[in-house]
């Protein structure tokens, strides 16, 4: 008798391990989906540019304890991600391109995919492991986080290790006090790393999972399997040395800012205008989990039908309490629920092969059909982005945009077929189509929309200047952190009068990048000083953060030594 594609429990050793071929296909598809654009998409405002610039300043200053953006302390997150970026930018140092700063996110995303596949295979077989890893790799939210130089993809990797170890301890380990060197050590080491990356987010996820699971199963003795005394010591040994060092260096300012504002401040009110209603994450899930969201209804039906099994109970406890907390927290961003995605991917993979049984009732078919229709709608919107983006920003719609949109339509059709005929083969076809779409979208189409990247285009112009070994730059009106990443930590983010004063203070090598809205004030100061300027170029674009049009002109004083390459003296 042929065994089912996804066995409900581990079988022979070869059934709970992905074959080398399966690993190769999974990692290749994940890489094609997640990597293109890491080096070609310009720096994004605002958080990414701040993270990357703070890392660059660590190289400049030689201080790898304190975290600064220009002269301001940056204490909203711990140092872990900056240290990772220090490692990946080492070949370049302070002049590393943005892609080097994004490598920890890319590696974190790939590691999370691999860990999810491995964990699923250990419990449900290699076919389920491959499917769960691929579903996670394709999630649209993962595409954003793998290409962004900040914490969340690396945090996800730590979270999968922590939750995977917890799942093993709760459902597979039977000893009352297992050896610490093993799953307990993995659990606590992962938490130490997660604390160093983003504070107690993963700790919250694990505590909620543990409380939910133990309350459900009434297996209170399972708590002893965590070996908390040596475990807490291990986590603190990873996290505390830097905390002690930064506390001594800042007089406690780090703890006050990171705990008081960055963590607790987000609970009671929306931080930085990032608010949303209860249900925000649920309503957005067809987007964040696309295209695997085609299986989301099936995943819910599977979880309900198998709720008597301890492994399923653990996965439910991994998802629901954390999801509910983030729905209740006032500050909301799409990536906040990312730590639950591996468990959702696992349930979706398991549900896929049981679709006929799960869809016997009309209500189940209606739920699945509504979600599938939303997934197709989301796919159509995503497919239109390359062409619509070029049109919106008044740029020629080139071949790359059309190709990306066609690939997006292909992926959408494939996701629709996955909803109609859920199967491992159709999931693989959807994976190939979606990975190709993401590669074209992020690797070529989005970087090619010049209007989205005004600071990058100004930096290209400045790079063509000759006459000074170093230049000093002030930007007036366009005060985004990407300017600092491009032009250095001494860049002045100011207004029109400030940009004029900057030129007057450095007449030989000073540059002013002035938005049209600041031009009158800029010229008023120069007229009063009796100074004239030369125009080196103009960049029209869009401030993506503020949603405002920009018209930036690059000025130097008349007597400046700076000239565009090839220009006469």
């Amino acid at each position: 008798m042929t065994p089912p594609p996804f066995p409900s429990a581990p079988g022979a050793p070869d059934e709970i391990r992905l074959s080398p071929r399966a690993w190769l296909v999974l990692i290749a598809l994940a890489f094609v989906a997640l990597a293109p654009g890491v080096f070609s998409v310009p720096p994004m405002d605002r958080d990414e540019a701040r993270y990357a610039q703070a890392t660059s300043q660590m190289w400049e200053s030689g201080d790898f304890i304190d975290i600064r953006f220009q002269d301001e302390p940056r204490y909203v997150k711990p140092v872990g991600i900056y240290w990772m970026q220090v490692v990946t930018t080492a070949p370049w140092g302070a002049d590393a391109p943005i892609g080097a700063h994004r490598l920890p996110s890319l590696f974190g995303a790939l590691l999370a995919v691999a860990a999810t596949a491995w964990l699923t295979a250990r419990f449900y077989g290699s076919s389920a492991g491959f499917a769960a890893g691929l579903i996670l790799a394709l999630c649209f939210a993962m595409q954003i986080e793998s290409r962004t130089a900040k914490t969340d993809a690396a945090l996800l990797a730590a979270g999968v290790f922590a939750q995977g170890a917890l799942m093993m301890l709760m459902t597979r380990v039977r000893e009352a006090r297992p050896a610490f060197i093993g799953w307990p050590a993995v659990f606590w080491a992962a938490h130490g790393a997660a604390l160093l990356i983003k504070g107690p987010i993963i700790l919250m996820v694990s505590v909620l999972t543990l409380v939910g699971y133990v309350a459900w199963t009434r297996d209170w003795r399972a708590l002893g399997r965590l070996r908390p005394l040596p475990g807490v010591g291990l986590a603190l040994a990873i996290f505390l040395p830097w905390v002690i060092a930064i506390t001594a260096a800042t007089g406690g300012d780090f703890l006050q800012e990171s705990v008081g504002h960055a963590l607790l401040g987000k609970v009671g009110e929306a931080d930085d205008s990032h608010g949303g209603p209860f249900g925000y994450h649920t309503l957005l899930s067809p987007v964040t989990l696309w295209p695997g969201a085609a299986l989301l209804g099936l995943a819910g039906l599977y979880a309900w039908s198998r709720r008597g099994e301890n492994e399923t109970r653990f996965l439910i406890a991994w998802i629901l309490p954390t999801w509910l907390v983030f729905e209740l927290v006032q500050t909301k961003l799409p990536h906040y629920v990312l730590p639950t995605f591996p468990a959702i991917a696992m349930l979706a993979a398991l549900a896929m092969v049981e679709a006929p049984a799960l869809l016997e009732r009309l209500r189940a078919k209606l739920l699945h059909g509504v979600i599938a229709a939303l997934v197709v709608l989301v796919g159509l919107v995503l497919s239109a982005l390359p062409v619509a983006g070029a049109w919106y920003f008044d740029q020629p719609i080139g071949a790359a945009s059309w190709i990306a949109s066609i690939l997006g339509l292909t992926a959408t059709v494939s996701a629709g077929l996955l909803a109609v005929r859920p199967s491992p083969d159709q999931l693989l076809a959807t994976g190939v189509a979606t990975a190709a779409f993401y590669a074209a979208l992020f690797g070529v189409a989005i970087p090619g929309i010049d209007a989205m990247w005004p600071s990058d285009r100004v930096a290209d112009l400045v790079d063509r200047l000759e006459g000074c070994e170093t230049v000093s730059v002030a930007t007036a009106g366009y005060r985004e952190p990407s300017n600092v990443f491009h032009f250095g930590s001494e860049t002045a983010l100011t207004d029109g009068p400030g940009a004029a004063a900057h030129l007057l203070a450095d007449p030989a090598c000073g540059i002013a990048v002035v938005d049209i809205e600041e031009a009158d004030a800029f010229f008023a100061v120069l007229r009063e000083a009796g100074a004239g300027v030369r125009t080196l170029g103009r960049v029209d674009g869009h401030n993506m953060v503020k949603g405002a049009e920009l018209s930036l002109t690059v000025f130097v004083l008349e007597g400046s030594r700076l000239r565009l390459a090839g220009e006469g003296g």
Side-chain angles (χ1 to χ4, degrees), residues 156-316:
L156 179 64
V160 178
F161 277 93
Q163 291 291 95
L166 184 61
M167 189 173 182
M168 294 296 294
L169 288 167
M170 294 299 104
T171 65
R172 286 288 182 265
V173 174
R174 295 305 174 204
E175 299 95 330
R177 284 174 56 83
F180 180 70
I181 303 302
W183 292 118
V186 172
F187 176 79
W188 291 105
H191 276 290
L195 286 168
L196 203 57
I197 294 169
K198 201 176 179 176
I201 300 300
I202 297 302
L203 180 61
M204 180 199 76
V205 175
S206 290
V207 168
L208 290 172
T209 305
L210 190 62
V211 169
Y213 176 78
V214 170
W216 197 347
T217 61
R218 300 181 182 179
D219 184 11
W220 301 103
R221 291 176 298 176
L223 297 173
R225 298 175 201 150
L226 295 175
R227 304 295 307 274
L229 289 181
V232 170
L234 175 59
L236 292 180
I238 295 171
F239 179 57
L240 266 189
W242 174 78
V243 173
I244 294 171
I246 191 67
T247 301
T250 66
D253 289 348
F254 167 77
L255 291 176
Q256 181 179 351
E257 174 68 14
S258 63
V259 177
H261 170 69
L263 182 61
L264 298 180
K266 295 182 178 182
V267 175
E269 60 184 32
D271 182 62
D272 295 331
S273 302
H274 298 311
F278 183 85
Y280 169 95
H281 294 292
T282 302
L283 292 172
L284 207 57
S285 59
V287 180
T288 54
L289 287 159
W290 189 88
L295 303 171
L296 199 53
L298 290 174
L301 294 169
Y302 176 90
W304 179 255
S305 69
R306 298 294 189 96
R307 64 191 183 278
E309 299 174 0
N310 282 347
E311 293 83 358
T312 306
R313 289 178 175 181
F314 184 91
L315 294 176
I316 293 171

Side-chain angles (χ1 to χ4, degrees), residues 13-27 121 125-127 130:
D14 61 335
E15 293 177 344
I16 62 172
R17 293 182 176 87
L18 272 71
S19 68
R21 180 183 177 185
W23 276 120
L24 179 62
V25 173
L26 175 62
I27 297 305
S126 58
S127 297
F130 180 91

Side-chain angles (χ1 to χ4, degrees), residues 461-467 536 562-568:
L461 190 153
V462 171
D463 286 343
R464 289 158 41 207
L465 296 179
E466 297 176 342
L536 296 182
L562 290 168
R563 298 283 188 280
L564 284 170
E567 217 178 41

Side-chain angles (χ1 to χ4, degrees), residues 324-351:
L324 179 61
V325 165
F326 283 121
E327 291 286 23
L328 291 171
V329 169
Q330 292 300 303
T331 301
K332 290 182 173 68
L333 285 170
H335 63 264
Y336 281 6
V337 291
L338 194 63
T340 67
F341 281 19
I344 294 172
M346 291 173 71
L347 288 174
L350 297 169

Side-chain angles (χ1 to χ4, degrees), residues 140 378-391 401 404-405 437 441 445-446 449:
F140 189 71
V378 169
L380 293 174
V381 172
L382 293 177
S383 301
L385 286 179
V387 170
W391 173 81
S401 295
S405 287
F437 169 51
L441 177 66
I446 289 179
I449 302 176

Side-chain angles (χ1 to χ4, degrees), residues 81-124:
I81 195 64
Y82 302 99
W83 283 353
M84 293 180 196
Q85 291 183 16
V86 163
V87 172
T88 58
T89 59
W92 298 271
D95 297 325
I98 189 62
H101 294 269
R102 290 170 176 159
L103 288 177
S105 294
L106 174 61
F107 295 154
L110 291 171
L111 185 57
V113 168
T116 299
W118 181 90
L119 178 66
T120 311
R122 282 295 299 263
F123 280 87
Y124 299 103

